[in-house]
Amino acid sequence: MSKSARKSVLPAEPSHGYEFGGPIGAFATSLGLPLVCYLAAFLCNDVSGCPVPSALHPRSLTIAKLKEETGWPESGILGLASTKVTAWVLGYYFLSLVLQAALPGVETEGVELQSGGKLKYKFNAFSSALAVILAAAVGTFVQGPDFAPWTFIWDNYIQLITVNIGIALALANYVYYRSFAVKRGNKEQRKLAAGGHSGNVIYDWFIGRELNPRVALPGFGTIDIKAFCELRPGMLGWMLLNLAFVAHQYKLYGYISDSIILITVFQALYVFDALYMEPAILTTMDITTDGFGFMLAFGDLVWLPFIYSLQARYLAVHPVHLGITGIFGVFAVQGFGYYIFRSANNEKNRFRTNPKDPKVAHLRYMETKSGSKLLISGWWGTARHINYLGDWIMAWSYCLPTGIAGYMVKQTSSHPADGHIFGGTPRGPQVYQGDARGWGMLITYFYLVYFAVLLIHRELRDEEKCMRKYGKDWEEYRKKVPWRILPGVY
């Protein structure tokens, strides 16, 4: 490439260095996280147990026995994929595009780009999700737990993971290739992400070179790929997976346990809250700072729906009965976390959009040299990322209903129960805890540990970004608000 050509594609903002362990970390994460999704699916199953018996007695472990216990496909690795499943998943993504284009929505502008100007967005993920859930409710009312999507999800769970990984890879490759056409001063306001043009192929592909990649699709208009993936296919997919697991529990046992109801309701609340507040994503790090590469594509489309739904999948096979006391306790945890999470985020969004709003006008703030206003009272005066605390507390309510997890399966010749969504007769495999008791928590409580690491890592990244942006003003702000997430502790 000539020097003149290089100048035409140089970004307006210099790269700020590596994150996530650099190229080695990016490579390891790109290979490791998909493997974690498969391991969680195979090692916690309805064939032999959660975890599989061989994991409890590694000395007796053999490849042949492990394949039998995990339900490894008879066709081998080729069985991880399916053309039929691929077609249906692509149809699901197509439906998401149709709903975004066809349904009315809120049209708004994003934050101002460093190069000037603002991108326009159309938001209707909430109404789109309602349309899908309503259709699923009607189908379930008519067909009960045998509603085709529910059985399809359970029967093709592994293949669904594979297809979505493939879509994430395809998107990452596509946006990486297109990012080299970004030129300074372009009319489309395309821009490279500050952290995504290090020059290392693996790292840039992972972290994302272009900040807000968009594509014009005939009949659909301009689609912001990152905003589309952020809340649509994966978030709604998480809810659909949970509902399929609820249906499967009923088919096996003839009832729906209070524990799986709680988890499904709590997570549906979280999803619908995010979808309803969809415009709020415009001020998040994902939209304003991170490029769109494999990291976000995989996280949005694979990791979120398939890892976040592990608890409901576990309970589909091993129901846990909480009782009134247990229900009250889990509700208290969820309510406390949600109160902090939503109150803090509402306070921030109101202050950013209208500082004179009576609900936030009384709050104290410090103004930086760049003109930004940083809250030093209210929720944001207690900790710099107080919303993360609420988010993590809610995560406990997703894991606690699984109890002291772990089960073993003894297959029987019984057939699943038939009927409508309520009532029925318990049937299915014999499931008991046995030696697996407690060990299943490595699966069902994994989300809690992972989410804590995620939030702390995100907080550290945000600290670095703010230090670069505000300099000495941020040092002064940290003196006024010394705590990061948990007041008095961290």
Side-chain angles (χ1 to χ4, degrees):
M1 182 182 291
S2 65
K3 291 184 178 180
S4 59
R6 287 177 181 173
K7 289 181 180 179
S8 66
V9 296
L10 281 175
E13 185 179 352
S15 175
H16 57 58
Y18 289 136
E19 296 179 290
F20 296 96
I24 295 177
F27 180 76
T29 302
S30 300
L31 288 180
L33 293 190
L35 181 60
V36 170
C37 292
Y38 283 121
L39 287 175
F42 279 116
L43 297 182
C44 183
N45 59 59
D46 60 343
V47 177
S48 62
C50 180
V52 296
S54 291
L56 302 175
H57 306 285
R59 290 185 178 181
S60 63
L61 176 64
T62 65
I63 297 299
K65 189 174 183 181
L66 189 60
K67 285 183 176 181
E68 179 184 352
E69 292 178 349
T70 58
W72 182 257
E74 293 182 3
S75 55
I77 196 169
L78 294 178
L80 300 180
S82 163
T83 54
K84 177 182 177 181
V85 174
T86 300
W88 280 107
V89 171
L90 291 177
Y92 168 71
Y93 279 79
F94 180 75
L95 175 62
S96 295
L97 287 171
V98 170
L99 292 173
Q100 183 181 33
L103 295 180
V106 176
E107 297 189 8
T108 186
E109 293 182 332
V111 299
E112 186 172 354
L113 301 171
Q114 186 189 29
S115 55
K118 298 180 179 181
L119 295 174
K120 295 182 179 180
Y121 296 84
K122 177 185 176 182
F123 292 126
N124 62 6
F126 183 78
S127 58
S128 298
L130 282 180
V132 173
I133 295 300
L134 178 61
V138 172
T140 304
F141 178 79
V142 174
Q143 297 184 340
D146 290 318
F147 181 47
W150 304 150
T151 57
F152 180 83
I153 287 173
W154 186 268
D155 294 341
N156 299 280
Y157 183 77
I158 297 296
Q159 291 76 16
L160 288 171
I161 293 176
T162 303
V163 174
N164 282 281
I165 290 175
I167 292 174
L169 285 168
L171 283 174
N173 292 338
Y174 174 71
V175 296
Y176 178 78
Y177 173 78
R178 285 188 74 243
S179 69
F180 289 94
V182 176
K183 297 181 180 180
R184 184 181 297 172
N186 64 84
K187 295 181 180 180
E188 296 82 10
Q189 296 180 319
R190 296 176 65 188
K191 181 180 181 295
L192 296 186
H197 52 91
S198 67
N200 183 278
V201 175
I202 294 176
Y203 181 81
D204 293 346
W205 171 84
F206 170 79
I207 206 74
R209 292 190 83 247
E210 189 170 353
L211 183 62
N212 300 109
R214 296 184 159 207
V215 59
L217 298 176
F220 299 102
T222 299
I223 302 297
D224 187 294
I225 299 175
K226 182 164 65 171
F228 176 82
C229 291
E230 186 80 6
L231 292 179
R232 285 181 177 270
M235 273 285 196
L236 179 57
W238 176 14
M239 201 183 320
L240 293 174
L241 286 171
N242 279 354
L243 292 174
F245 301 151
V246 171
H248 188 76
Q249 185 190 80
Y250 175 79
K251 290 182 68 175
L252 286 179
Y253 300 101
Y255 62 81
I256 302 175
S257 66
D258 51 14
S259 55
I260 201 170
I261 290 176
L262 278 186
I263 285 179
T264 303
V265 170
F266 288 162
Q267 294 185 345
L269 172 66
Y270 185 91
V271 170
F272 273 116
D273 177 82
L275 299 180
Y276 185 78
M277 301 297 294
E278 187 179 14
I281 68 171
L282 295 179
T283 59
T284 63
M285 182 184 295
D286 284 357
I287 300 296
T288 63
T289 305
D290 292 335
F292 184 78
F294 184 73
M295 178 184 74
L296 284 183
F298 176 83
D300 292 340
L301 307 180
V302 185
W303 188 262
L304 185 149
F306 291 99
I307 294 298
Y308 288 25
S309 61
L310 284 176
Q311 295 86 8
R313 182 170 176 264
Y314 170 89
L315 292 171
V317 180
H318 183 248
V320 173
H321 304 282
L322 300 174
I324 297 299
T325 303
I327 291 174
F328 179 79
V330 175
F331 256 112
V333 173
Q334 167 71 10
F336 182 53
Y338 183 77
Y339 171 70
I340 296 175
F341 174 79
R342 182 42 56 205
S343 298
N345 281 332
N346 282 345
E347 183 180 87
K348 177 184 65 175
N349 289 330
R350 286 194 182 101
F351 185 78
R352 283 180 171 176
T353 55
N354 181 18
K356 296 181 181 180
D357 187 318
K359 294 182 178 180
V360 295
H362 65 283
L363 296 176
R364 293 182 293 111
Y365 63 87
M366 62 170 283
E367 189 164 354
T368 67
K369 294 179 182 178
S370 64
S372 299
K373 297 177 180 179
L374 305 176
L375 286 170
I376 56 174
S377 66
W379 282 109
W380 300 91
T382 60
R384 301 195 292 272
H385 295 86
I386 189 66
N387 57 329
Y388 289 179
L389 175 62
D391 220 352
W392 191 64
I393 291 175
M394 282 192 289
W396 278 91
S397 69
Y398 305 158
C399 302
L400 288 173
T402 64
I404 303 176
Y407 64 79
M408 305 181 76
V409 177
K410 181 180 180 181
Q411 295 292 343
T412 69
S413 58
S414 301
H415 297 287
D418 297 320
H420 296 289
I421 198 66
F422 297 108
T425 304
R427 302 175 185 175
Q430 180 182 347
V431 180
Y432 58 99
Q433 290 204 283
D435 293 341
R437 177 178 168 82
W439 290 104
M441 296 175 72
L442 295 173
I443 301 291
T444 63
Y445 287 77
F446 169 77
Y447 172 76
L448 190 63
V449 177
Y450 148 76
F451 203 49
V453 174
L454 171 72
L455 293 176
I456 292 174
H457 181 260
R458 177 168 288 230
E459 181 271 330
L460 293 173
R461 292 183 67 213
D462 194 54
E463 284 286 311
E464 292 180 5
K465 183 195 75 171
C466 290
M467 182 60 73
R468 290 193 302 269
K469 181 177 181 180
Y470 301 118
K472 292 183 178 180
D473 285 334
W474 189 253
E475 294 180 4
E476 183 63 26
Y477 171 68
R478 290 196 301 184
K479 293 178 182 178
K480 296 179 182 295
V481 186
W483 302 108
R484 295 171 178 260
I485 296 176
L486 181 58
V489 178
Y490 176 73

